[in-house]
Amino acid sequence: MPHAESSLVPAEIETKSQFWSHVYDQLEPLLDGQRNWVSNLANTSALIYNALLAFPAHFGTETDKAVNWCGFYIESSHFPKSTDLNSENKQLLLGPFCGKPACQFINVTPNKARGVCAAAYMDAKTKLVPDVEVYPGHIACDGETKSEIVCPLVSGHQVLGVLDLDCLALAGFDEEDQKGLEKIAELVVKACDW
Amino acid sequence: MPHAESSLVPAEIETKSQFWSHVYDQLEPLLDGQRNWVSNLANTSALIYNALLAFPAHFGTETDKAVNWCGFYIESSHFPKSTDLNSENKQLLLGPFCGKPACQFINVTPNKARGVCAAAYMDAKTKLVPDVEVYPGHIACDGETKSEIVCPLVSGHQVLGVLDLDCLALAGFDEEDQKGLEKIAELVVKACDW
């Protein structure tokens, strides 16, 4: 099967719970045989993003309810070495994603951190934000985003980064999405070398 | 300006030449201050892909002429180390992209290589393919793709990888696209540490 077809969503899938279970099942073979995180996170964000666009019951392509960004921010030490890494501040750097261009990094230095991604990373807990406008310290990479969910990628006691999704609807995500995305985050962590 | 706005295309842009010059100008600030290739290629593919979707004069969102994939395959030695790297075969691995899930790797071992990306990498020359169906050894990650353009990323005598775009139209890309993408490939190579 061509890889692109993994992001199709069969018509019989109606509930979010069915949807996330389907996406999980499609993701496993997509990660198989490859352990570098760059390739695997690229395919993971593409699968989730395109499957959400193909799921009109809850998200789809309509501009009042679509997911407009899906991707990863990863702690800088996991990246290929580069000369500009600012060692004074602890940072998450932009990883693979689908959606419009985004902020290059997120500061996660204690007392300097702000925004939803930093909070999920530092607390090692998923953040479900129904209205980003009222979230203290929200960082707007895209002014059209209305709600957000951020799941940490956790390996033992270490937080590796976060999986971040933005939606054009207020309260676009709920506890079913959280459950589904946390299982996917767990699968991705195990499928890669860090 | 929020980063997402860099992929908007002003209405006065009508020709491909104006379009690529605009995208180039938007890309420079987007790469500024960051030298790791993962983050920079993620923003580059997002900028190109979303700008093409916002350029109905030649591409846009219509399913008979849209660009359906835009991203990078990079030679495996540039990736963070992982345990599964097959040292017998020289490979390009999937880098950041926008579009549906894609092939994890491309074999670029002499006599084993096939497909448009491998050819562009091995010849260090752009490949403009008006009809992928008749390209010998074409690898179909997405059966909907009709045409393709692949530009090598060249640094001195070294080829680092390729920038690959797929289109739903036959002959979707022409020499103007080639010129624009080759300039962007050059900018991206210089903006990152390899």
Side-chain angles (χ1 to χ4, degrees), chain B residues 51-83:
Chain B
L52 286 164
L53 292 177
F55 184 44
H58 291 277
F59 295 99
T61 55
E62 298 300 319
T63 51
D64 60 345
K65 62 175 189 171
V67 166
N68 59 323
W69 205 89
C70 171
F72 295 88
Y73 280 91
I74 300 295
E75 203 273 312
S76 62
S77 66
H78 302 288
F79 278 70
K81 292 279 164 290
S82 69
T83 50

Side-chain angles (χ1 to χ4, degrees), chain A residues 2-4 6 30 32-37 39 42-43 46 50 79-80 82-84 93-95 97 99 101-102 104 141-142 193, chain B residues 2-4 6 30 32-36 39 42-43 46 50 79-80 82-84 93-95 97 99 101-102 104 141-142 193:
Chain A
H3 294 75
S6 61
L30 207 56
D32 191 41
Q34 179 61 256
R35 295 202 52 85
N36 95 72
W37 65 261
S39 303
N43 260 341
N50 285 283
F79 279 72
S82 69
T83 51
D84 60 339
L93 299 179
L94 180 62
F97 68 92
Q104 292 173 332
C141 278
D142 186 345
D193 293 327
Chain B
H3 294 75
S6 61
L30 207 55
D32 191 42
Q34 178 63 255
R35 294 201 53 84
N36 95 70
S39 303
N43 261 341
N50 285 282
F79 278 70
S82 69
T83 50
D84 59 339
L93 299 179
L94 180 63
F97 69 91
Q104 292 173 333
C141 277
D142 186 344
D193 294 327

Side-chain angles (χ1 to χ4, degrees), chain A residues 22-44:
Chain A
H22 170 76
V23 173
Y24 187 96
D25 291 345
Q26 295 296 310
L27 183 56
E28 280 188 309
L30 207 56
L31 304 178
D32 191 41
Q34 179 61 256
R35 295 202 52 85
N36 95 72
W37 65 261
V38 179
S39 303
N40 280 345
L41 300 193
N43 260 341
T44 302

Side-chain angles (χ1 to χ4, degrees), chain A residues 143-159:
Chain A
E144 292 186 338
T145 297
K146 295 278 193 302
S147 59
E148 186 169 6
I149 186 168
V150 184
C151 295
L153 304 184
V154 184
S155 174
H157 293 291
Q158 196 188 7
V159 187

